[in-house]
Amino acid sequence: MTRRARTAALLAATAFLAAACTVEEVPEAGAPPPATGGPALAALADLPVKGRAPKTGYDRRKFGSPWADTDGNDCGTRDDVLARDLDDVTVEPDACTVTSGTLTTDPYTGRTLTFERGRSTIDIDHVVALSDAWQKGAHTWDPAKRIAFANDPLNLLAVDAGANRQKGDADAATWLPPHTPHRCAYAASQVAVKEKYGLWVTRAEKDALARVLNPCPGTPLPAGDAPTKAPPAFSAPR
């Protein structure tokens, strides 16, 4: 074998060994796998990541009067959500005020709950809490957008009152529904609301949402057609 041939063979062998010995990059311990998959994961990947802004200036009243009739159907938002989420619903003669019904499977606990007006253990939860939204972008919004957010059916669920109060204004990094079969849908709803309203997430929150959604990568992204601005008739203090 000539010197040139021996040199070529040596270079080829070196390249082969280098390729064979290449070590695949290992993700940092505890980090969720890359977000790939269905619509919810794709939307999560696009959410901006920032630190939590101060809660300074937050006031529930800056999101308008509770349960305003922003869709113009002459019924308050709370009754709209109860009528949507409960089974065997009864209403008062005004055709709006829900007086009783059954939450067949509470999304937060998995229990069956009975609604009876005035003695209920059911709350209407903001999936993305108003205070959490305030600290991740809503403090810059005009009143019409905050009112729309607080009354958007996409961001509202009838749930167990105890679980709702345990959640408080937590994001997905610090609270998830105890009823684990609902966690994929809950995470997808969080992502859908934050995408719709242009809210950001913290790094810990984004990682937590990815950990929930990666085992169920086909989870769809919930959609809602409510506008992100309340009608001009509604107003709220800045």
Side-chain angles (χ1 to χ4, degrees):
M1 180 182 292
T2 66
R3 179 180 298 176
R4 180 175 295 178
R6 285 197 300 271
T7 301
L10 179 60
L11 289 173
T14 302
F16 174 81
L17 289 172
C21 295
T22 298
V23 177
E24 184 177 353
E25 184 177 352
V26 178
E28 181 181 350
T36 59
L41 273 169
L44 173 62
D46 290 337
L47 290 181
V49 176
K50 300 182 186 180
R52 183 185 292 270
K55 195 175 177 179
T56 306
Y58 170 74
D59 189 321
R60 171 62 179 84
R61 292 172 295 179
K62 293 184 178 180
F63 289 82
S65 301
W67 315 130
D69 175 25
T70 55
D71 63 0
N73 70 346
D74 297 324
C75 299
T77 302
R78 182 174 186 270
D79 285 302
D80 285 341
V81 176
L82 288 170
R84 181 195 69 185
D85 291 355
L86 302 185
D87 296 320
D88 303 321
V89 170
T90 62
V91 297
E92 291 185 356
D94 64 6
C96 280
T97 305
V98 175
T99 56
S100 66
T102 302
L103 185 59
T104 303
T105 305
D106 166 42
Y108 288 178
T109 67
R111 295 161 42 204
T112 297
L113 304 175
T114 299
F115 175 81
E116 188 173 349
R117 198 167 197 92
R119 294 186 294 175
S120 177
T121 59
I122 294 174
D123 281 352
I124 305 301
D125 179 41
H126 289 95
V127 176
V128 176
L130 303 185
S131 173
D132 181 55
W134 180 266
Q135 296 171 78
K136 294 169 184 173
H139 61 286
T140 67
W141 295 350
D142 60 36
K145 186 170 182 178
R146 288 199 288 262
I147 294 167
F149 177 84
N151 292 278
D152 191 333
L154 182 65
N155 192 33
L156 298 170
L157 275 180
V159 300
D160 174 75
N164 181 40
R165 292 162 199 180
Q166 181 188 54
K167 171 189 170 182
D169 64 358
D171 62 21
T174 53
W175 189 90
L176 291 168
H179 182 51
T180 54
H182 182 69
R183 286 186 178 179
C184 288
Y186 177 81
S189 292
Q190 287 256 340
V191 172
V193 171
K194 295 208 166 186
E195 179 191 58
K196 179 176 180 178
Y197 284 89
L199 296 167
W200 69 74
V201 290
T202 65
R203 171 50 59 192
E205 179 185 5
K206 192 167 190 175
D207 288 350
L209 289 166
R211 280 193 292 270
V212 173
L213 289 170
N214 275 319
C216 45
T219 303
L221 190 70
D225 58 4
T228 57
K229 294 282 187 178
F234 293 90
S235 62
R238 287 185 179 274

